[in-house]
Amino acid sequence: MKLIKNLEKSEISIGPFSKSSDPSIIECIGLAGFDFLIIDLEHGPNTIESSQNLVRAALLHEMTPIIRVSENNESSISKALDIGAQGVQVPQINNKQDAIKVVRAAKFSPLGERGVCRYVRAAGFSSKDKNLYFEESNQNTLVILQIEGKEGIENLDNILDVNGIDIIFIGPYDLSQSLGVPGQTNHPEVINAMKSVVNKAKQKNIVVGTFVETPEDLNMWKDLGVLYLSYKVDVGIFYDACKFTYQTLKN
Ligand code: 3PY
Ligand code: MG
């Protein structure tokens, strides 16, 4: 799995969020070389049903499919993993209990209590050996927690002590709102809070990720050791390309 391989080598990975429901668009993103894709079920029109073909399209070009679920609940997490997502990203983690809940829902026993069903895509619709399915799923499923509020930042030390977290992802937009400067993702208070998360997570050897919208911001976080870099959203990248093309042709 490309994302895990990159993380093992401490190499950065770059991928957009996806709010498109079209597998062809996902294939283009993979063909362009992106490392991972975050299929967004928190914002935008996608459903678990539309996401299954998006997962397939991502895997065709070795792009790691992650699903951002709409909320921290067992059923959303197990459905995302059942359709074959190789990681779940869960918004609004505010305390240790929230983090424990995610790990429990994302991992089979003995690491957690993920609901068991073998008749799903992740288990090859029952074609996969049972024991191998449990073992490989536990090994290869990434648990990604979003810290994006004051409360999550205050409780970060306790959150980071929970076993089974692979990546702490900072959501700059929700964080800026929680800090009273909505949308100002480059406000010094937001940047300082983000840097404190980066430092604490790195001290505990937990990979950090965040969302960026410019190459400059990507480089800034990369230089601070952030390895999971989500760059824009597929529809936004497509809009940029359309605008650039039209303006080039018109002028
Ligand atoms: C946020 O910024 O709040 C996110 O969730 C990612 O863009
Ligand atoms: Mg958010």
Side-chain angles (χ1 to χ4, degrees), residues 75-158:
S75 151
S76 312
I77 293 172
S78 68
K79 280 180 187 235
L81 297 175
D82 282 351
I83 64 168
Q86 295 179 323
V88 274
Q89 185 159 324
V90 183
Q92 298 291 351
I93 299 300
N94 291 318
N95 53 50
K96 188 173 183 169
Q97 284 65 41
D98 288 348
I100 290 172
K101 192 172 170 187
V102 177
V103 177
R104 200 177 280 155
K107 301 283 172 160
F108 292 123
S109 174
L111 305 177
E113 290 170 6
R114 174 175 162 191
V116 180
C117 175
R118 295 174 52 239
Y119 297 89
V120 292
R121 194 180 165 277
F125 304 104
S126 75
S127 66
K128 200 163 184 176
D129 174 78
K130 282 183 206 170
N131 292 328
L132 203 61
Y133 174 48
F134 294 136
E135 201 183 305
E136 286 186 354
S137 299
N138 273 0
Q139 253 169 31
N140 297 331
T141 297
L142 289 166
V143 170
I144 305 168
L145 304 185
Q146 291 195 186
I147 300 294
E148 47 187 351
K150 263 194 216 165
E151 206 187 327
I153 301 240
E154 276 158 22
N155 292 321
L156 187 65
D157 290 324
N158 291 333

Side-chain angles (χ1 to χ4, degrees), residues 12-99:
I12 62 159
S13 296
I14 305 176
F17 273 92
S18 176
K19 298 191 206 298
S20 151
S21 308
D22 185 347
S24 298
I25 296 290
I26 306 306
E27 280 204 58
C28 290
I29 299 168
L31 286 165
F34 281 101
D35 303 294
F36 65 88
L37 177 81
I38 309 171
I39 300 165
D40 199 357
L41 299 190
E42 185 191 11
H43 296 291
N46 272 316
T47 62
I48 203 72
E49 193 177 346
S50 63
S51 297
Q52 184 160 253
N53 278 337
L54 306 184
V55 165
R56 289 188 176 110
L59 290 170
L60 274 178
H61 304 293
E62 285 178 51
M63 180 166 64
T64 302
I66 304 294
I67 290 187
R68 176 162 76 174
V69 292
S70 60
E71 58 178 343
N72 186 2
N73 88 45
E74 200 185 318
S75 151
S76 312
I77 293 172
S78 68
K79 280 180 187 235
L81 297 175
D82 282 351
I83 64 168
Q86 295 179 323
V88 274
Q89 185 159 324
V90 183
Q92 298 291 351
I93 299 300
N94 291 318
N95 53 50
K96 188 173 183 169
Q97 284 65 41
D98 288 348

Side-chain angles (χ1 to χ4, degrees), residues 17 19 38 40 42-43 68 89 91-92 146-149 169-177 185 194 210-213 230 232-233:
F17 273 92
K19 298 191 206 298
I38 309 171
D40 199 357
E42 185 191 11
H43 296 291
R68 176 162 76 174
Q89 185 159 324
Q92 298 291 351
Q146 291 195 186
I147 300 294
E148 47 187 351
F169 178 93
I170 311 163
Y173 273 99
D174 280 311
L175 183 59
S176 68
Q177 175 164 259
T185 53
M194 290 174 73
T210 193
F211 175 73
V212 294
E213 294 171 295
S230 104
K232 281 197 175 171
V233 178

Side-chain angles (χ1 to χ4, degrees), residues 181 184-192:
V181 287
Q184 296 182 49
T185 53
N186 279 320
H187 189 285
E189 247 190 89
V190 178
I191 299 285
N192 286 340

